[in-house]
Amino acid sequence: FASDVDQRALKVARAGFYPESIAADVSPSRLRAYFDKPDDHYRVKRSLRERVVFAAQNVIEDPPYSRLDLISCRNLLMYFKPETQSKKQTIETFHFALKKRGLLLLGSSETLSGQIDLFEPINKTQRLFQRIGNEHSIHRRLSFVGQHAAQSQSDDATSTAH
């Protein structure tokens, strides 16, 4: 899955075009394996692009995907103030969405803001973290737009049944 809240960003990602300058950061064997070079640019091979599902998603409001092996979060958390509810909820949502021992890759400007009970560092330099902890206590606190009404109805039904 590849998601973003911005449809234009998804369109660019789906196209898979990269400038020739990526050759400075991508090994020749990976360039051969995963890219075509039609002109003065590289393009992700069609067979690989077709394996990726691109979808619009607002990680603050939309229910998360689940049972993911890896989440790459770049250029998102840095826009939240360090201890805002949105940042905390987003990190908890990532924890929920990952499989047990799943990986979270953050951008160079991203931090977990002290939520060290959810992830342990695997490689601090590369900003790679692994999911840890008991999901049950955290997942009960998560709520998403559209769930509030359903939860209220469920709570009402439970309290009248007792």
Side-chain angles (χ1 to χ4, degrees):
F1 292 104
S3 66
D4 198 292
V5 71
D6 183 352
Q7 287 288 348
R8 292 174 305 205
L10 289 168
K11 184 177 179 181
V12 169
R14 248 184 227 107
F17 289 105
Y18 289 88
E20 284 183 300
S21 60
I22 68 165
D25 298 313
V26 179
S27 71
S29 63
R30 288 197 176 160
L31 287 172
R32 282 190 305 276
Y34 302 112
F35 293 87
D36 293 320
K37 191 168 183 320
D39 293 310
D40 60 345
H41 61 274
Y42 286 94
R43 186 168 193 196
V44 176
K45 288 189 176 190
R46 181 183 199 125
S47 60
L48 181 55
R49 289 192 326 265
E50 290 176 346
R51 294 177 60 193
V52 177
V53 175
F54 293 90
Q57 183 187 30
N58 181 327
V59 297
I60 298 170
E61 296 178 359
D62 296 337
Y65 300 106
S66 62
R67 304 203 30 82
L68 300 175
D69 295 307
L70 168 72
I71 294 175
S72 174
C73 177
R74 301 178 58 85
N75 303 323
L76 171 68
L77 297 177
M78 66 187 198
Y79 292 108
F80 297 133
K81 292 180 182 168
E83 295 304 323
T84 63
Q85 185 61 33
S86 295
K87 184 171 187 174
K88 184 176 184 224
Q89 180 180 345
T90 300
I91 293 168
E92 289 176 355
T93 298
F94 291 161
H95 185 269
F96 170 84
L98 287 166
K99 289 180 178 179
K100 184 177 182 177
R101 311 300 286 166
L103 300 174
L104 174 62
L105 178 64
L106 298 178
S108 60
S109 300
E110 317 275 29
T111 67
L112 291 176
S113 293
Q115 290 184 283
I116 57 174
D117 58 326
L118 302 180
F119 295 94
E120 65 184 356
I122 299 297
N123 184 318
K124 289 182 181 183
T125 305
Q126 296 298 319
R127 319 277 308 132
L128 184 63
F129 300 87
Q130 189 167 49
R131 180 188 187 279
I132 60 171
N134 180 351
E135 67 273 6
H136 300 296
S137 60
I138 295 164
H139 298 174
R140 278 185 288 221
R141 295 191 316 243
L142 292 176
S143 64
F144 305 97
V145 173
Q147 284 187 321
H148 297 291
Q151 184 62 44
S152 294
Q153 289 173 351
S154 173
D155 291 345
D156 291 345
T158 303
S159 64
T160 57
H162 293 299

